[in-house]
Amino acid sequence: MKRQVKITRGIEPLFGTRDENIRLLEAALNVSTHLLEDSLEIEGEPEPVRRAEAILEDYVSLVQQGQGFTNGDMKAYLRVAVEDPQVSLRSLMASARQRNFGKKTLAPRSLNQMRYVEAIERNDMVFSIGPAGTGKTYLAVAMAVSALLSKRVGRIILARPAVEAGERLGFLPGTLQEKIDPYLRPLYDALFDMLEVDKVEKYLEKGMIEVAPLAFMRGRSLNESFIILDEAQNSTPEQMKMFLTRMGFGSKAVITGDITQIDLPAGKRSGLLQAIDVISGVEGVSFIYLDERDVVRHNLVQRIIRAYEQYTEAQNRQLSFALDQAPDEPAA
């Protein structure tokens, strides 16, 4: 089956660097494309061709309406659209426009990211677990900003376990806040990416946004709040239980973490790992797992994460083989 989609504008981001976007479309849907003078011809089985045609027609329509795409954005949106037949390029962009993220217009860049955003909207507590660069923290902060600007919550509380924020920071100069701020900087960075600097400062002064170490949450009950615990893999079981029981009425909580990068002292179990075991079946709690396919940083980051996973798997296989080959110790 062959179909043609007329394209007169925006051909560069559609094709991407070295045609990577159009190759993604071809490989995912098992179609081939041919660029004609003012259109793109699609060839393949009827159903994949129709899906490709619908995606391209959405793209043409959005460009005609003034929607801009960068090469990187287009690749991410195509990945979502080809992975799920129920998702159209138009609905993906419309969903982003419906939410007020301040000075940003954001759309999920992978199918798992879309499920993550939807889970936050549907549930009062969401765990997002995955490697660096998958948008765990950024999307959580974006949803928190959206909830604050639309007055669905009265404040945002961003917390991180400051593993180094105990006595070991005592020798550093400055106030306690000045000592702690470097460990909270990624949360500030996400805020400043979505809101004007003066607005963030005003919200901080009024207490509508609070950025603090996890230990500062003890003894509090947080109502009408959007609460984010970042780097949760570095919380202890006691800290995690304390955090999870801070939720008050009208609040949402998002817990993010990377279980491959735990910085706790040897022998100390991660509170995030324990929480996965303890509350994964609790109604109203959603767990979203992200992987290297959801990385939205440089393509090289995806390959690095996968290389480390393969290395760890190989090390575990070698250790298992060595244990199997070890002679049994004689009975006493």
Side-chain angles (χ1 to χ4, degrees):
M1 179 179 180
K2 290 184 181 181
R3 300 299 291 267
Q4 289 184 11
V5 178
K6 190 171 183 178
I7 301 175
T8 56
R9 287 194 293 160
I11 198 72
E12 295 84 1
L14 173 61
F15 271 72
T17 305
R18 299 191 184 92
D19 297 345
E20 62 178 350
N21 294 346
I22 210 68
R23 287 205 305 270
L24 168 66
L25 184 73
E26 290 177 331
L29 298 180
N30 195 25
V31 298
S32 60
T33 64
H34 309 281
L35 182 60
L36 306 179
E37 185 174 347
D38 64 348
S39 62
L40 193 66
E41 185 178 73
I42 314 162
E43 184 175 1
E45 293 298 315
E47 184 55 31
V49 167
R50 279 191 285 268
R51 282 190 62 198
E53 182 182 23
I55 292 171
L56 293 173
E57 286 180 343
D58 273 354
Y59 174 78
V60 171
S61 177
L62 288 165
V63 169
Q64 288 173 346
Q65 294 169 19
Q67 175 70 54
F69 294 93
T70 66
N71 288 345
D73 284 343
M74 192 61 216
K75 182 180 180 182
Y77 301 150
L78 278 176
R79 284 172 57 192
V80 180
V82 298
E83 284 183 36
D84 188 345
Q86 305 302 316
V87 177
S88 69
L89 194 59
R90 178 174 291 279
S91 67
L92 194 60
M93 300 309 298
S95 176
R97 286 196 292 266
Q98 287 169 4
R99 305 184 186 98
N100 183 3
F101 297 116
K103 60 183 181 180
K104 280 280 186 178
T105 299
L106 296 178
R109 290 172 165 240
S110 72
L111 194 57
N112 283 335
Q113 283 193 358
M114 186 176 71
R115 290 169 178 158
Y116 178 28
V117 169
E118 290 174 349
I120 293 174
E121 291 182 333
R122 289 195 311 266
N123 299 276
D124 288 338
M125 183 176 289
V126 176
F127 285 76
S128 176
I129 300 162
T134 50
K136 303 183 302 294
T137 303
Y138 195 83
L139 286 174
V141 173
M143 294 298 285
V145 167
S146 177
L148 182 66
L149 294 178
S150 61
K151 302 188 186 307
R152 282 175 284 143
V153 297
R155 59 179 168 168
I156 298 172
I157 298 176
L158 308 173
R160 262 190 169 199
V163 175
E164 301 86 352
E167 290 111 9
R168 282 178 290 174
L169 280 183
F171 69 92
L172 292 176
T175 65
L176 177 61
Q177 193 63 41
E178 289 169 340
K179 295 175 182 181
I180 288 170
D181 272 353
Y183 302 99
L184 304 173
R185 178 52 51 188
L187 298 173
Y188 285 112
D189 289 343
L191 282 172
F192 287 131
D193 204 28
M194 290 166 215
L195 296 171
E196 302 295 340
V197 174
D198 58 344
K199 184 168 284 190
V200 173
E201 291 175 349
K202 182 179 76 172
Y203 286 160
L204 287 168
E205 289 173 7
K206 290 184 174 181
M208 294 171 67
I209 295 180
E210 180 180 344
V211 186
L214 174 58
F216 286 22
M217 299 294 105
R218 190 172 301 278
R220 302 176 65 183
S221 183
L222 306 172
N223 297 319
E224 304 294 331
S225 302
F226 197 116
I227 317 157
I228 298 173
L229 174 58
D230 192 37
E231 297 288 342
Q233 77 275 5
N234 290 328
S235 66
T236 64
E238 297 78 15
Q239 287 176 325
M240 177 61 77
K241 182 180 178 183
M242 178 271 292
F243 175 83
L244 297 179
T245 54
R246 295 308 93 198
M247 279 185 70
F249 296 107
S251 290
K252 278 186 179 286
V254 178
I255 300 94
T256 73
D258 178 358
I259 56 177
T260 68
Q261 295 191 26
I262 297 173
D263 299 322
L264 291 168
K268 192 70 174 178
R269 194 182 187 203
S270 165
L272 178 58
L273 290 176
Q274 186 188 68
I276 293 171
D277 292 339
V278 173
I279 67 170
S280 59
V282 173
E283 184 179 353
V285 181
S286 178
F287 284 79
I288 301 294
Y289 291 89
L290 305 166
D291 56 37
E292 78 277 358
R293 293 170 297 177
D294 305 301
V295 171
V296 293
R297 295 179 183 171
H298 194 287
N299 288 340
L300 186 57
V301 177
Q302 290 182 323
R303 296 195 289 272
I304 289 172
I305 290 171
R306 185 58 191 151
Y308 269 99
E309 289 178 348
Q310 291 172 341
Y311 174 80
T312 302
E313 290 167 2
Q315 292 288 98
N316 290 338
R317 285 197 298 270
Q318 290 178 7
L319 177 61
S320 177
F321 179 77
L323 292 173
D324 290 341
Q325 297 302 311
D328 294 333
E329 291 186 8

